[in-house]
Amino acid sequence: MIINDKKGGVRTSVLALGLLALLLPACQQDNQAFEDTQQQPTTSEYQTPTTTAPAPGREPLTRTPNRPMTAMRGQQMEATTENISSDPDNFIGEMVTVRGDVKEVDTSRDTFLMDDERFLTSEGILVINATGETFVIPNPDEMQAQVTGEVRLFTLVDINTAYGLDLDPALYVEYENQPAIVAESLALSPTPEQVAENPTIFYNRHIAMEGRFNELLASNAFTFNNGEILVLNADELEIIPENEDLVVTGVVRPFDLAALQSEYNLNWDAELQQRMQDQYSNSLVLVADGIYPTR
């Protein structure tokens, strides 16, 4: 730097430059602090979303603390009659499987109401039987059912036309434009006790039974619900050890060892065959086509 020693000239400039050198770092610090403040949200402005662990095969639901957890468009909710009724937009056009209580409805043999006893506020959802077969429900007041089908808004004209039904408009006014399940598959969902006490009403019917895994007898057989029910797992479907509470779907039939051996090539040794004969010869067997954990 060239310093001119003339009076009133360069000395003043030097002093100003010195002050400027002192002020610049302080200004830079203030600017950085301002930028940091702008980048950091305050607690009242933003809360970090948390993710709720999903049920098997479902997407997680994201929620912000202190706000109710509701599924956003495109997110998956558990398919229950309660959720379908209260948030139909998340299910319209989707295939679902639900289990619940059968509520008698004085409409026609082609429809019935279902609700879920786990939810006190559930008012039920209309099920339309589109299987082409009559669905007989023994003891409707005590029986559950499992339904698989598409969720759609109920409009009587469209339903009658699409499925060849003749539903009476006067009986379905309250269900118009409400969500309903058009069932492609229907199964009774009795308890193990109901099947054990009265097996004949379930023979040769497809059911969905919820209960507790009891004892593995062979790679293709186990007992259910304290040994009350024998399950033939002919396809050796996977049973996850930690999931003791299961739903087993399949057909109930009388236990006939010779017929089962011939049909499924069971490969049971003589000891196991004798045990089966002694214990289940006057009983039933559930031939499984699906095994999955309860929700």
Side-chain angles (χ1 to χ4, degrees), residues 1-266:
M1 180 184 292
I2 298 175
I3 301 178
N4 190 338
D5 198 28
K6 290 184 179 180
K7 185 175 181 180
V10 178
R11 285 185 181 177
T12 303
S13 299
V14 171
L15 179 60
L17 288 171
L19 289 171
L20 183 62
L22 290 172
L23 290 171
L24 278 174
C27 289
Q28 290 174 345
Q29 290 176 357
D30 289 341
N31 287 337
Q32 183 64 43
F34 176 77
E35 291 173 2
D36 290 344
T37 302
Q38 291 293 95
Q39 293 173 0
Q40 295 295 327
T42 63
T43 303
S44 61
E45 292 173 340
Y46 180 78
Q47 296 182 26
T48 304
T50 59
T51 300
T52 301
R58 303 187 185 277
E59 296 298 322
L61 300 180
T62 301
R63 65 184 177 90
T64 301
N66 303 323
R67 295 183 184 178
M69 186 178 70
T70 56
M72 302 300 290
R73 188 69 177 168
Q75 289 182 320
Q76 295 274 335
M77 296 177 71
E78 183 184 6
T80 65
T81 57
E82 170 79 1
N83 284 341
I84 294 170
S85 297
S86 63
D87 199 352
D89 286 347
N90 271 282
F91 298 96
I92 297 297
E94 299 293 328
M95 291 292 293
V96 300
T97 296
V98 297
R99 280 183 298 117
D101 296 319
V102 175
K103 297 176 68 174
E104 284 193 276
V105 55
D106 295 327
T107 51
S108 84
R109 63 183 180 84
D110 297 309
T111 64
F112 59 91
L113 284 178
M114 278 185 69
D115 68 4
D116 193 328
E117 63 181 3
R118 296 178 303 166
F119 303 103
L120 297 178
T121 59
S122 178
E123 296 180 356
I125 189 166
L126 185 66
V127 176
I128 295 102
N129 179 4
T131 65
E133 299 178 0
T134 301
F135 185 55
V136 179
I137 308 171
N139 305 321
D141 293 338
E142 302 174 3
M143 186 63 60
Q144 288 196 331
Q146 177 169 290
V147 175
T148 298
E150 181 185 354
V151 179
R152 58 182 293 176
L153 289 181
F154 178 84
T155 55
L156 184 135
V157 173
D158 291 343
I159 293 294
N160 276 343
T161 302
Y163 301 102
L165 302 177
D166 187 25
L167 303 181
D168 184 348
L171 299 176
Y172 291 88
V173 173
E174 63 182 297
Y175 304 108
E176 195 74 15
N177 294 318
Q178 297 300 312
I181 301 175
V182 180
E184 296 182 6
S185 173
L186 292 166
L188 296 176
S189 187
T191 65
E193 293 81 6
Q194 286 174 320
V195 175
E197 289 171 6
N198 196 359
T200 56
I201 67 173
F202 301 104
Y203 279 163
N204 301 314
R205 295 200 63 173
H206 196 269
I207 69 169
M209 183 190 298
E210 180 177 345
R212 173 155 289 212
F213 175 85
N214 182 230
E215 179 185 2
L216 186 66
L217 303 174
S219 61
N220 55 9
F222 63 90
T223 57
F224 206 44
N225 212 57
N226 296 321
E228 282 184 302
I229 305 294
L230 173 65
V231 178
L232 179 60
N233 183 13
D235 294 329
E236 299 189 13
L237 304 168
E238 183 180 10
I239 303 171
I240 303 173
E242 58 267 28
N243 291 324
E244 292 184 344
D245 294 315
L246 303 171
V247 174
V248 179
T249 61
V251 175
V252 177
R253 55 189 283 184
F255 179 83
D256 183 331
L257 181 58
L260 293 171
Q261 284 277 31
S262 173
E263 192 171 344
Y264 297 104
N265 191 26
L266 299 177

